Structure formats: structure tokens, C-alpha cells
């Protein structure tokens, strides 16, 4: 790194942690809004490959919340929380669906069938995330947390 790149990296580091949140209706049509919001958070220090992987996991998590947790119940909302540190990105997808056992569900899923039209979401998220966790919140909502670690790149 040269001196200018060092200054940009230090300036970027001083802004961490970065956080943002979004609440959208339970509607698959809101996926475009979710992904646009996420694109607006993109950081030049995060490798593009890492960002795209997490964006894919976000699309899967949101789609699962709408289709499975809320089963299309339109009056409910899905909340998405984002946090970036110098080492990781974390997304939390929060819904009001019934409680479920993530580890048991992952264990019972078959291997990913790339030709299947569904059923790949949790397995794909598990492959992408460095940490995939489920928590039942005190307000009886579900929180699916995806953490992806990265090595910082110099901004171009």
C-alpha cells in the first residue's frame, strides 16, 4: 500500500462499526427493495466476491422468512439489520414466524440439488456464512444471523 491508500484504509477503519436496518412488508416483491438497500451499503474495502455471497444469502433468508415463517401473511413485516466491522459483515433477518430448530432442519435437509426449484436456501446460507445462528428473541420473533468474515481490500 502507498501512503494515500494507507490514509483511506485508516479513515475507513475509523468508521467501524457501521450499522443499518430496514423493515419491509412480507411480500416477495419487496426483495428488490431489500437488495437495493443492501447494495447501497456496499463498502470498497470488502472483496466483491464476499459481498455478492452475502447478498445471495440475504435474498435466500428474506425469501424464506416470507414463504415459510410468515407463509405470505401480508400484515407482518421482516426486519433486516446489518453491521460491518473491520473483520466481518453480519446480517440479521428477523421475522414473526413460529419457532424452529435451525440445526435440526439443516441436519434433515438433503444435499443441495442444483436443479431443484426450491429447498436450497438454508443449505446455501450455511455454506456461505462463516457463522449461521438462529435465536428466538424475547419478543417471540425469530432472528437468523449470518456472519461473513473478510480480509480488507484497499479501496480503488
Amino acid at each position: 500500500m502507498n501512503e494515500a491508500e494507507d490514509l483511506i484504509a485508516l479513515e475507513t477503519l475509523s468508521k467501524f462499526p457501521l450499522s443499518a436496518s430496514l423493515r419491509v412488508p412480507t411480500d416477495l416483491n419487496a426483495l428488490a427493495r431489500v437488495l437495493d438497500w443492501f447494495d447501497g451499503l456496499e463498502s470498497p474495502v470488502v472483496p466483491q466476491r464476499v459481498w455478492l455471497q452475502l447478498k445471495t444469502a440475504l435474498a435466500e433468508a428474506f425469501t424464506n422468512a416470507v414463504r415459510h415463517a410468515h407463509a405470505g401473511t401480508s400484515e407482518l413485516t421482516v426486519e433486516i439489520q446489518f453491521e460491518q466491522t473491520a473483520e466481518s459483515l453480519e446480517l440479521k433477518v428477523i421475522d414473526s414466524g413460529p419457532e424452529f430448530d435451525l440445526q435440526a432442519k439443516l441436519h434433515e435437509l438433503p444435499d443441495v440439488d442444483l436443479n431443484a426449484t426450491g429447498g436450497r436456501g438454508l443449505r446455501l446460507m450455511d455454506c456461505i456464512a462463516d457463522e449461521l445462528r438462529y435465536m428466538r428473541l424475547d419478543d417471540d420473533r425469530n432472528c437468523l444471523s449470518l456472519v461473513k468474515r473478510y480480509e480488507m481490500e484497499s479501496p480503488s
Side-chain angles (χ1 to χ4, degrees):
M1 262 198 252
N2 63 35
E3 192 173 323
E5 289 173 329
D6 287 342
L7 285 174
I8 291 171
L10 284 174
E11 183 179 306
T12 302
L13 282 173
S14 69
K15 296 177 184 173
F16 291 133
L18 300 172
S19 62
S21 63
L22 176 70
R23 187 181 301 263
V24 293
T26 296
D27 184 345
L28 288 176
N29 293 321
L31 179 59
R33 180 175 167 205
V34 168
L35 297 179
D36 285 346
W37 169 80
F38 186 69
D39 283 341
L41 301 171
E42 189 170 1
S43 170
V45 299
V46 177
Q48 182 74 18
R49 177 187 56 78
V50 170
W51 195 264
L52 291 174
Q53 287 175 338
L54 197 59
K55 184 176 178 178
T56 300
L58 172 58
E60 291 292 342
F62 176 77
T63 302
N64 278 0
V66 171
R67 286 188 176 150
H68 303 295
H70 292 169
T73 308
S74 60
E75 66 272 4
L76 299 174
T77 60
V78 177
E79 182 179 347
I80 301 159
Q81 298 175 357
F82 170 81
E83 183 172 295
Q84 179 181 356
T85 68
E87 300 87 27
S88 68
L89 304 169
E90 181 176 16
L91 279 170
K92 292 179 180 176
V93 178
I94 301 167
D95 65 59
S96 300
E99 189 170 4
F100 77 104
D101 184 337
L102 175 64
Q103 294 308 317
K105 190 71 173 164
L106 285 170
H107 185 70
E108 70 187 38
L109 287 173
D111 289 336
V112 174
D113 176 359
L114 296 177
N115 297 315
T117 57
R120 298 178 295 199
L122 283 177
R123 180 74 66 214
L124 185 61
M125 286 184 268
D126 191 41
C127 289
I128 288 172
D130 293 311
E131 297 174 34
L132 181 65
R133 295 185 304 263
Y134 166 82
M135 297 157 273
R136 187 71 172 178
L137 302 177
D138 291 339
D139 61 1
D140 289 331
R141 294 186 302 158
N142 300 312
C143 176
L144 185 67
S145 169
L146 302 104
V147 175
K148 184 75 177 167
R149 286 183 278 286
Y150 68 93
E151 290 189 25
M152 205 177 300
E153 289 187 340
S154 297
S156 304

